Amino acid sequence: MHFDLHSHSTASDGTLSPTALVERAAAQGVDALALTDHDSTAGLAEARETAARCGIRLINGVEVSVTWAKRTIHVCGLNVDPDNAELQAGLASIRAERDRRATRMGEKLEKLGLENAEQRARAMATGGLVARTHYGRLLVEAGWSDELGKAIRKYLISGKPAFVAGTWASLEDVVAWIRAAGGNAVIAHPARYGLTNTKLHALVNQFIAAGGEGIEVISGSHSSEDAANMAEVARRHGLLASRGSDYHGPENPWVELGRLPPLPDDLTPIWSRWSQTLNAPVSPI
Ligand code: AMP
Ligand code: MN
Ligand code: MN
Ligand code: MN
């Protein structure tokens, strides 16, 4: 089976609706897609209906914002029960912080001269959850930058004029919520954090102590060298391996659903834990 276990819809900062995302995944030959919106499971019900119609598997996922050692780290919860109250209470607390941060980022950009920044970013965030991605798109639309990544790096990262540090949840809490919801916790795109080896191993050790089980080895934001390094981390720590594009929409032609190298043969895939879910028939709702 062909797995893509990291993707975004309009429920967070993707540009495709859950339906359009799942249809595209099916057209790309993906057999099992995890929708992992930032801090929200709001897109899962629609994605599940579409997946049943298209004959592919939908893995319930969420990408949770964590503050660890004064940095933001992302942890994906995969195969979670979205009805779990503990998980939902945790995600709601993070979304409240996102909302406060959205206002403060908007104020900073308005002071820099971007008129009605907050209102315009909120209008772009049709799912009601505001990410830096929405402000980045607004900056491009307003002509302040010619590309999303450049806009984010110029204004919205640590040390830049409109950066606001969010205070997210602890690693322990997030892993506990994911486990309470019956899911597996996976460190998302580990090579993106710019951690030294010492810090990366400290993160992994603390993650495993908290009950974390997996790491993204193959990611749309990893180079082949990053993937080789993270495969080594998985081996050294006995972590399960995950694979996901981190797709946000067709505007970024460099990342496509399902278009990823395979996991190294010797690693144990995270989906080896889901035989029950995967063996159940794909049935129309
Ligand atoms: P947030 O979770 O609101 O802090 O926003 C983080 C999101 O911004 C990530 O999930 C990406 O979608 C986006 N992002 C961050 N850095 C970049 C970049 N260099 N290029 C494109 N998107 C980025
Ligand atoms: Mn994103
Ligand atoms: Mn992420
Ligand atoms: Mn992501």
Side-chain angles (χ1 to χ4, degrees), residues 4-285:
D4 187 334
L5 299 178
H6 191 148
S7 68
H8 296 272
S9 75
T10 47
S12 66
D13 62 349
T15 58
L16 297 182
S17 67
T19 293
L21 179 81
V22 172
E23 285 174 349
R24 187 176 181 111
Q28 293 292 329
V30 172
D31 298 302
L33 176 76
L35 174 59
T36 53
D37 275 309
H38 296 286
D39 308 314
S40 170
T41 59
L44 292 176
E46 182 185 320
R48 178 158 298 282
E49 279 192 30
T50 309
R53 181 163 53 72
C54 295
I56 73 168
R57 311 274 174 172
L58 190 272
I59 306 295
N60 290 326
V62 61
E63 181 177 15
V64 190
S65 308
V66 169
T67 298
W68 179 82
K70 297 185 181 157
R71 295 171 168 78
T72 295
I73 300 288
H74 288 168
V75 172
C76 285
L78 297 177
N79 206 25
V80 293
D81 170 10
D83 294 328
N84 181 268
E86 197 176 323
L87 175 65
Q88 288 303 340
L91 297 179
S93 71
I94 299 180
R95 290 195 301 270
E97 170 67 358
R98 268 191 179 277
D99 208 60
R100 292 188 287 271
R101 185 189 62 154
T103 298
R104 293 171 60 203
M105 279 193 293
E107 286 166 358
K108 287 196 166 190
L109 286 169
E110 282 165 30
K111 279 205 181 110
L112 291 171
L114 188 62
E115 282 175 21
N116 297 324
E118 181 185 357
Q119 186 200 330
R120 288 157 78 189
R122 287 190 187 277
M124 288 176 133
T126 53
L129 179 149
V130 181
R132 281 182 290 169
T133 327
H134 299 107
Y135 277 108
R137 289 185 191 129
L138 173 61
L139 285 160
V140 172
E141 190 190 271
W144 287 37
S145 182
D146 58 8
E147 196 260 318
L148 172 65
K150 281 192 213 164
I152 291 176
R153 288 192 297 272
K154 191 168 172 193
Y155 293 99
L156 299 171
I157 64 171
S158 180
K160 300 298 170 164
F163 174 71
V164 179
T167 304
W168 313 122
S170 73
L171 189 61
E172 284 73 18
D173 282 352
V174 169
V175 173
W177 304 336
I178 291 167
R179 287 169 65 89
N184 305 107
V186 171
I187 300 175
H189 44 64
R192 257 214 355 226
Y193 308 122
L195 299 172
T196 60
N197 263 332
T198 311
K199 278 266 177 200
L200 177 61
H201 290 296
L203 169 66
V204 169
N205 283 328
Q206 197 178 325
F207 175 72
I208 291 171
E213 293 167 281
I215 189 167
E216 276 182 1
V217 170
I218 301 294
S219 162
S221 52
H222 280 175
S223 67
S224 52
E225 194 191 344
D226 293 336
N229 290 338
M230 297 310 150
E232 219 22 67
V233 172
R235 287 181 194 108
R236 177 166 159 190
H237 292 273
L239 285 166
L240 300 171
S242 190
R243 170 180 192 266
S245 61
D246 204 1
Y247 185 81
H248 280 73
E251 297 77 12
N252 177 1
W254 303 108
V255 174
E256 181 54 82
L257 286 162
R259 199 174 64 198
L260 292 160
L263 284 176
D265 273 341
D266 65 305
L267 298 180
T268 307
I270 190 86
W271 55 82
S272 65
R273 292 295 178 86
W274 308 334
S275 45
Q276 233 182 329
T277 316
L278 296 171
N279 288 332
V282 180
S283 59
I285 289 171

